[in-house]
Amino acid sequence: MTARIVLLVTSPRLPVGLLTAAAWDVVRGNPVLAGAESELTAAVRAAGAEVTVSDGPAVPALLHAAAAHGAAVWLAGPAGDESLARELGLRLAREPGLAELELMYGSWDPPGARLLDAVEVMDRLASPGGDPWKRAQTHRSLAGYLIEECYEAYDAIGADDTDALREELGDVLLQVLLHARMAEELPDGARWTVDDVAGGLVDKMIRRNPHVFADDRATTLDEITANWERIKRAEKARDSVLDGIAPSLPALALAAKILDRAGRAGLTVPLPAADARPDPSPDAEARLDPSADPEARLGAELLAAVAAARAADLDPEAALRRTTLAYADAIRAAERTTPRP
């Protein structure tokens, strides 16, 4: 009967003792070899299996153990020990009668497993002995980087470049991880972790999607959107329909968002008139009077243009960006044909 060698691969991102029933059967019933001591070798020993750490060439040791016992198991390291698998596979291809090689997965990475790696890497970078630049940052000093990375992801979407989008989303994720790691060093009562960020998001998604996670009967997009808004209003006590809009949005996007919120709330408020006369009264309307100065007049005209874009179901930010970039191309073309001074 041909001997059997099992290469047992496990996920380093799961608890060490979390193995399949088939994996436990094979390690309990056969000699187990490994390249180094680890938490996994300790867990396998604690379960009653015999583990030998090879201090020499692994392939001869595996072949010897398989010949002596009919089967042997190699407990692969965190990286999977691909070089050992390649060497053993080539040896058995030349001498197929020595043993049969079997690859067994004792556990698998769950979806999102590399996020755990990202958290671990960020922890090392932001801990003593890590990256001095990251350790010197604050939430405020990083604020501009977060906006910049989001814009770069936005540009990748606009260019339909999904490879670039993957990379830029990684840069956005880096900012999230760094902010969360820095928050771990806040004073007692104020600190939070990346798990708090993820946990809050999970709770919110479940709470605001009862048509998926509960017995809500909403089926159309309008019903689902109405549910989302209703649940959001119940969660956040707000005095105005405009509460929650970020004032730091780009001006065109801010105007579009405000007009959209007012429209959804059924509010009809006249836009500032670009040709209105100054109003000497000291109330809020006078402060908004667009004829007070040229900048106010221009602002009123731009706001009217945003309102017209919304009425036509157009995105004013995207429209201006598209036209501006086309104009930039025209400038570059002119530069190629016009001698420089």
Side-chain angles (χ1 to χ4, degrees), residues 320-334:
L320 180 59
R321 178 180 298 274
R322 175 182 175 182
T323 302
T324 302
L325 291 177
Y327 182 62
D329 289 340
I331 292 175
R332 293 188 182 95

Side-chain angles (χ1 to χ4, degrees), residues 7-24 26-27 40 75-78 80 103-111 113:
L7 297 182
L8 184 61
V9 179
T10 59
S11 169
R13 303 174 184 90
L14 295 179
V16 291
L18 193 61
L19 302 180
T20 64
W24 279 121
V26 77
V27 298
L40 183 55
L75 205 58
L103 177 64
M104 177 181 288
Y105 286 92
S107 59
W108 296 266
D109 280 344

